[in-house]
Amino acid sequence: MAIQNSAIVIDTHADTPQRFVDENFDIGSTDPRDAGHISLDKAQRGNLGAEFFSIWVEPETNQGHFARRTMDLIDSVYEQAAHHPDRMMMAFSVADIERAHKEHRLAALMGIEGGHSIENDIRLLRDYYRLGVRYMTLSWSNTNEWADSSGDIDDPKVQHHNGLTDFGKQVVLEMNRLGMIVDISHVADKTFWDTIAVTKAPVIASHSSARALTNAPRNMTDDMLRAVAKNGGVVDVNFYSGFVDEDYRKTSEPIGKQAGDAIKAFEEKQKAEGKSVTYAEIEHIQREWADKIPRPPFKSLVDHIDHIAKIAGVDHVGLGSDFDGVSGQTPQGMNSAADLPKITQALLDRGYGAEDIRKILGGNVLRVFREVERVSHEMQAQSH
Ligand SMILES: [Zn+2]
């Protein structure tokens, strides 16, 4: 706990904003029955210093109004911070994160998950930056009009671009100029390599694990890990059981398909009755199916941190939980942000020193963010 409490702990991905908007969830909740991963109490118990709240727009149900949903989710994070000014604050910079840490408040940052949110408009990208968004994942599981995704790369019905289009490259450079961190989680392999070739600042994988250990197409190969290290970036390990445990991934595949069918049936039924479907309702169905599979051991999660530290180096690994976005499917013992100190304990048990652990817990992300800010200032000075 001494190490945990001396660190600025940063998690780069939580889907809690879906709950803020769809369930009116209050982050100040102390309800013991709440199965959510994030609350101010849970964050405090785990000494979580900064959270990048995910601004994720489901691309099918929000077809035609991606920007509106993006705005609603952004608003929801501000509203939570406004309701709890003594325990939480909006943060837009490294300096803000450090100030929040000193004041024992949770720093709330925002990252857009999926380039479709910008509706192919570079001006909208700049507006999101002005509203405080500090990273953007170039794609979610859906290929958009300028970046291929790993989620549908094998689907012949989807029009692909062989990575990033020229506009996609322009988006990356504009993010560099603005000081918005480029996030390569979810993207197709070719999109990753195109991004690495184009970006002028370090990138992050906000919530990705290692493919050598768990063969999910959305995890990163060892070559990619080494490329992120060379780029000065950081890979933040995703806690989702299906991305950190190969046995779980294999078992969950058929069950995931059954859950998908059940969700589709539910959506059609609601549609026929003229009702909309919320993320919470979908999560509820997913959870029912997921509960049929035994949770993998805690060790699986730590194996991924360890592997990335060995392949990319200890300066290039961090935490990207995917809290509140995985239907409760995390390894045993990882039930909420309050359990983050268990990672510190596990790393100590494996021989990691305090300084390296502090880097993994948040120091590496802070270094990348600082460098992104520096590159941005430099690019803006050059354009004057
Ligand atoms: Zn995601």
Side-chain angles (χ1 to χ4, degrees), residues 13 113 140 186 207 218 322:
H13 199 92
E113 183 176 23
W140 181 60
H186 280 288
H207 57 313
R218 190 190 155 321
D322 218 347

Side-chain angles (χ1 to χ4, degrees), residues 197-268:
V198 165
T199 184
K200 293 185 186 303
V203 301
I204 62 167
S206 70
H207 57 313
S208 292
S209 304
R211 210 183 295 176
L213 302 187
T214 309
N215 191 24
R218 190 190 155 321
N219 279 349
M220 302 183 66
T221 66
D222 286 357
D223 278 347
M224 288 171 164
L225 296 177
R226 281 185 279 263
V228 169
K230 205 172 150 213
N231 156 274
V234 60
V235 175
D236 299 315
V237 172
N238 191 315
F239 298 180
Y240 171 55
S241 298
F243 295 154
V244 295
D245 191 275
E246 182 65 9
D247 291 337
Y248 186 97
R249 188 187 72 79
K250 284 189 185 141
T251 317
S252 67
E253 235 168 47
I255 290 180
K257 283 201 185 82
Q258 286 167 305
D261 291 343
I263 289 163
K264 211 162 266 164
F266 176 74
E267 283 172 341
E268 270 158 27

